[in-house]
Amino acid sequence: MSGLSQPFPTNQDLDPVRLRQAFGVFPSGVVAVAAQVDGALVGLAASSFTSVSLDPPLVSFSIANVSKTWPDLRRAAHLGVTILADRHGGLARQLAGPPESRFDGVEVLLSSHGAVTLPDGLAQFDTTIYREVEAGDHTIVLLRLHAVQHADHSLPLVFHRSAFGFRSER
């Protein structure tokens, strides 16, 4: 085998800033996770969404353990997940902003089980919490799918290098 050999830095050299930069080179889609809880709309934007399993049908997202929204949202009977389109950058920022104004001016669909989805998303899922897995400073939330709607063929909203859309190296 030819090539230059260069050792990886040791774990002691992995500071959070360098890790965030390295993780940020991998683009991810953005979803809205929302429900009606105690009569109020509760939701957040997540960029760690991924499909997990077809049998049973599962998806996942990760949430920071310090989230102030997740303790309320996880009490919902059903959670709605909407895959955001490339036109939803402002909406994603709004869903990451102050909780009391996250749904101001936002059209939503409410299922009979309390799942909240956005009608103009690329796809909508009605889900329930299947399992939560502690993972460092985050929790991986596995969601079981109960209903799926997919009609929009626009481009997805992409989070890359701490911004929406693709960004070249600075």
Side-chain angles (χ1 to χ4, degrees):
M1 191 179 243
S2 65
L4 299 175
S5 175
Q6 183 175 5
F8 281 101
T10 63
N11 285 341
Q12 299 90 290
D13 298 329
L14 298 179
D15 68 80
V17 172
R18 288 183 63 204
L19 279 175
R20 184 178 298 272
Q21 290 171 343
F23 291 164
V25 300
F26 185 74
S28 60
V30 183
V31 298
V33 181
Q36 187 175 51
V37 181
D38 299 332
L41 296 179
V42 179
L44 53 86
S47 62
S48 55
F49 177 81
T50 190
S51 59
V52 175
S53 171
L54 293 174
D55 187 20
L58 301 173
V59 295
S60 73
F61 74 98
S62 297
I63 186 77
N65 293 337
V66 297
S67 170
K68 302 275 192 249
T69 303
W70 182 240
D72 289 331
L73 194 55
R74 71 185 301 277
R75 294 187 299 114
H78 282 238
L79 299 174
V81 176
T82 304
I83 297 177
L84 300 180
D86 62 352
R87 64 184 174 273
H88 290 134
L91 175 60
R93 282 186 211 77
Q94 184 173 333
L95 289 171
E100 64 277 0
S101 59
R102 288 183 180 170
F103 291 95
D104 289 356
V106 177
E107 183 181 350
V108 299
L109 298 173
L110 178 63
S111 79
S112 60
H113 299 290
V116 172
T117 55
L118 308 173
D120 64 340
L122 299 182
Q124 298 86 10
F125 304 98
D126 183 332
T127 73
T128 54
I129 298 172
Y130 181 78
R131 186 168 295 139
E132 294 179 62
V133 180
E134 291 182 27
D137 60 2
H138 279 65
T139 296
I140 300 167
V141 181
L142 293 165
L143 301 171
R144 183 173 184 126
L145 299 170
H146 298 283
V148 175
Q149 183 161 341
H150 171 253
D152 193 319
H153 299 285
S154 302
L155 293 173
L157 181 62
V158 174
F159 191 69
H160 180 240
R161 298 189 193 276
S162 299
F164 297 116
F166 290 101
R167 296 177 55 170
S168 62
E169 194 79 45
R170 290 182 217 168

